[in-house]
Amino acid sequence: MQVPLSWYLIVAAALFCIGLYGALSRRNAIAILMGVELMLNAVNINFLAFWRHVEVATGGLTGQVFAIIVITVAAAEVAVGLALIIAIYRSRHTVDVEDVDLMKL
Amino acid sequence: MREFFFNLVWLIPLFPLAAFALIVLWTNRNRLLSTWIAWIGIGLSWILGWTILFLTWQDIQGLTPPVDNYRLFLYSIPTSSTSLELGFQVDTLTSLMLLMVPFVCLMIFIYSKGYMNFGTDAVDPLYSRFFAYISLFACGMLGLVISDNFVTLLIFWEVMGLCSYLLIGFWSDKSYADPKRITPKEAGLKAFLTTRIGDVIMLAGMLLLYSQTGTMTFKEIFSPETLNQLATTYAFPGVSWATLCALLLFGGAVGKSAQFPLHVWLPDAMEGPTPVSALIHAATMVSAGVYLVARCFPLFIAVPGGAQLYVVSFIGAFTALLASTIALAQNDIKRVLAYSTISQLGYMIAALGLGAYVAALFHLIVHAFFKSLLFMSSGSVIHGVEHGHHHVHHDSPDHEEAEFDANDMLNMGGILQRMPATGWTFIIGALALTGIFPFAGFWSKDEILAEAWHDFIQGGALGLGGSWEFFVWLLLTLAALLTAFYTGRQVFLTFFGKPRTEAAAHAPESVPSMVWPLIILAAASIPLGLAGTPWANQYFTFVGEYFHMPGVHLHHGGFDPLIAAISLGVALLGWFVAWLLYGRKPLVEAVDPLEKPLGPVYTLLKNKYYFDELYDAIFIQPTIRLARQCATFDGKVIDAVVNAVGRFGRWLASWLMKAIDHPIIDGAVNGVGKAATWCGEFMRATQTGQIQNYLLVAAVTVVLLLALFLVRG
């Protein structure tokens, strides 16, 4: 029995919303980063679901390749993001994003 | 070969121009170098001019002016409907002028070195500048004769006018004790302004010609079709365009060639250095007026029997007689020659008016040679007398500073013994001028008189009516008599008898660079005349025979023994009377023996018929009064209006500043600034620096956009 496409999409949408909520509501920068990761993975679920249900019939691999690229980009993003957070922590002794408002004029 | 040399003709005026530029810009501190540059400049022009003339003699003769000539096209100025073509040309008239102009110029350039006291303590402080000016002048004259159109002709004409002004006033800081005597500065101004009157009239003539024909080149204007059109269309009833334009152009010739009534400037031009008098006011520039009439000769004869011919011949003959009477009573050696020049130019003009084209040009050429000789010779005398004066003055213990006039013939006498070379060359020039056989003036003057007589007997080709030609002949013959008389008077007063002053008794002969040009020019005055004998007239063969105009055949008077006898007779009579009065019993006192018997007539002649006073009263004083009144008007009315306008402007500006600039313009600018500030303040609230705020806005926006997208389908 094949899981219908809509189920995957619902799961992905839920995961995306959870990630978005986390990114918007948490004050800890590391938690925001985790929210972002959730959103990226929700996207990955969408890619793979569409690949499985739509593209596999034509023998294409775009959905899979895209998912792998997103995973790679996510890994790089985490590396850069964590590095930034550590740098901010070293200079300001906090990871609370509400205290990091240097962009305000 | 013809093409090769003709294409070089533009170089002829360029050499002296280059000499002028070199001297003015670089070498003016080095007198010797400047002299040589000027000499080389004019020398190259002379060599090139004569090369063109002699190597291409046959080719030039083969041309049939006025329509056929060799044109070197240089530049074209586009105008609205046509184009002004500027270029140079070679034809018989041009090459005849090239025979005379550069050679006489060269002689005078050589002479100038000695005259300006090169190499002595008395050297002129502006020596180099003098050579620069005369080089520029030579450029003007040479350019004039090779111009093929009225535009360049006018340019070179005015260059000469400028040089004339500069050179007459060359000793501009000179002043005289006698306040009535004209100073060089005033003389230059007088010459410039007087000739300017003629030039303006001439310019009007040129412009009318241009408006009628649409071209400025001689070739096109003097073509038979154009001339026919000019002669048959009328400016006013009875006055064709040809007549009108010819008369206006003649105005320029009257000014430049010092014909009555604009003759007054030439005698005063003698205030300039003598080489200038010889170069400009005897040989070349004054003959430019005659050249202009000769160049425009087809236009002058386009309407046979037209008013222009009567005017030209009358002005010429009248001037010839008038000037020779004035010359009788002048004591300044150069002024006598100046009036003589006016008189001889009158001969040429009269000859042209009678249609004696060849005779006029013949006289122009030979006159240039012997008149420059006479002038330079008289300059040499003046120079000698001045040196004698300095010598005496230096030796005498009592330094009395009386004004001594070295030009006054009454202060001379017996110069022939002191300055033999100068004296004999002067006498040769005088014989040539008075028309004594076999000197040049005899042939040329006889040719003019013979033509007039021939026209009187047989009826001229130009339809003037025989009695008119007789009248002109009579005036010219009378002038010939007077010419011989005043020239004889000059020779006897200056060179014979005993010295009447110490200065004359101590006059030394001039330096070789002054004497040699005199000898060369004196030597030239016989063969030049022999080239124009009635039996084998080279001038006629060269200039006249090939002159082609439909219906016009230039003839030459031929040899009439009666006329030759009359002209020689009156010349000898003049000399004889002069000898009776001045030569037989040498003067002892400085008083003219004519003064007493002639009485008031002598005074009238001595004062030149009071022309200067007359012009002063009629033209100059009213002009000055008018100018004063204009100045008053200017100060009282024009200035007041201008000031009022200025004040109104200031008032208007301050009102505009208060009423418009401050509230509206400044308000708008400030308003824009304030609006920008306000917008900035408003937008500032949205920038919190909180990353999550931004993210939230982005997310909400995406959701809203998605919703919009979904709703719109």
Side-chain angles (χ1 to χ4, degrees), chain A residues 20 23-26 32 97-98 100-101 103-105, chain B residues 684 687-696 699 703:
Chain A
L20 184 63
L24 288 178
S25 60
R26 308 300 295 183
I32 291 172
V97 288
E98 285 188 358
V100 185
D101 56 355
M103 282 173 80
K104 188 175 171 183
L105 197 66
Chain B
R684 182 178 189 155
Q687 196 182 11
T688 57
Q690 298 295 327
I691 189 75
Q692 283 171 320
N693 277 0
Y694 301 160
L695 198 55
L696 180 62
V703 169

Side-chain angles (χ1 to χ4, degrees), chain B residues 123-458:
Chain B
V123 64
D124 199 283
L126 301 175
Y127 179 89
S128 301
R129 189 190 289 185
F130 180 79
F131 274 87
Y133 285 168
I134 56 177
S135 293
L136 181 63
F137 165 77
C139 162
M141 187 66 195
L142 293 167
L144 179 88
V145 299
I146 62 170
S147 290
D148 80 331
N149 61 82
F150 278 118
V151 180
T152 41
L153 182 126
L154 183 72
I155 292 170
F156 287 117
W157 180 277
E158 297 297 345
V159 166
M160 285 198 291
L162 170 72
C163 289
S164 176
Y165 166 75
L166 292 172
L167 286 165
I168 294 169
F170 190 73
W171 290 322
S172 57
D173 50 352
K174 205 167 169 181
S175 60
Y176 299 108
D178 179 6
K180 290 186 92 175
R181 188 167 167 192
I182 192 161
T183 60
K185 202 163 96 184
E186 291 164 351
L189 210 54
K190 183 176 177 183
F192 197 71
L193 292 176
T194 313
T195 50
R196 193 71 34 237
I197 297 168
D199 293 353
V200 169
I201 299 172
M202 178 176 79
L203 186 59
M206 288 180 184
L207 295 176
L208 276 181
L209 267 183
Y210 184 64
S211 72
Q212 288 303 305
T213 61
T215 175
M216 279 293 207
T217 51
F218 298 141
K219 193 172 179 166
E220 286 165 38
I221 290 179
F222 301 145
S223 68
E225 305 81 53
T226 316
L227 284 178
N228 191 40
Q229 180 217 329
L230 285 171
T232 49
T233 49
Y234 290 90
F236 310 109
V239 181
S240 66
W241 281 110
T243 303
L244 183 66
C245 292
L247 278 174
L248 290 173
L249 286 176
F250 183 60
V254 166
K256 210 64 153 184
S257 288
Q259 298 295 294
F260 172 81
L262 297 181
H263 64 278
V264 290
W265 67 270
L266 184 59
D268 291 326
M270 298 304 132
E271 292 298 328
T274 302
V276 170
S277 308
L279 175 66
I280 302 186
H281 308 117
T284 51
M285 187 186 85
V286 288
S287 51
V290 180
Y291 170 81
L292 177 74
V293 179
R295 178 54 83 195
C296 305
F297 191 62
L299 183 69
F300 279 83
I301 60 173
V303 185
Q308 78 280 10
L309 293 169
Y310 285 101
V311 170
V312 172
S313 51
F314 176 73
I315 293 277
F318 182 69
T319 309
L321 187 61
L322 180 87
S324 55
T325 56
I326 299 177
L328 297 182
Q330 299 301 313
N331 291 333
D332 185 322
I333 186 167
K334 277 171 74 183
R335 264 166 215 264
V336 175
L337 290 175
Y339 281 107
S340 161
T341 304
I342 297 176
S343 167
Q344 298 304 310
L345 291 167
Y347 264 90
M348 300 169 208
I349 295 281
L352 285 168
L354 294 181
Y357 179 71
V358 180
L361 291 175
F362 180 20
H363 199 53
L364 189 156
I365 299 296
V366 296
H367 172 259
F369 276 87
F370 63 63
K371 191 48 71 66
S372 55
L373 163 65
L374 284 170
F375 262 107
M376 291 202 282
S377 207
S378 73
S380 176
V381 170
I382 295 165
H383 205 245
V385 173
E386 267 173 2
H387 274 256
H389 178 64
H390 284 304
H391 179 72
V392 175
H393 195 254
H394 190 69
D395 286 355
S396 67
D398 54 318
H399 274 245
E400 48 113 29
E401 283 288 347
E403 186 107 340
F404 176 75
D405 191 356
N407 290 16
D408 195 336
M409 292 191 294
L410 297 177
N411 287 338
M412 299 175 186
I415 299 280
L416 190 62
Q417 270 95 42
R418 299 289 312 166
M419 309 174 77
T422 302
W424 284 114
T425 51
F426 190 96
I427 290 167
I428 290 173
L431 291 173
L433 168 65
T434 51
I436 300 295
F437 180 84
F439 293 97
F442 171 73
W443 304 108
S444 59
K445 206 175 276 187
D446 182 55
E447 171 112 4
I448 293 176
L449 295 173
E451 285 243 22
W453 185 258
H454 178 271
D455 288 350
F456 163 53
I457 300 293
Q458 301 191 350

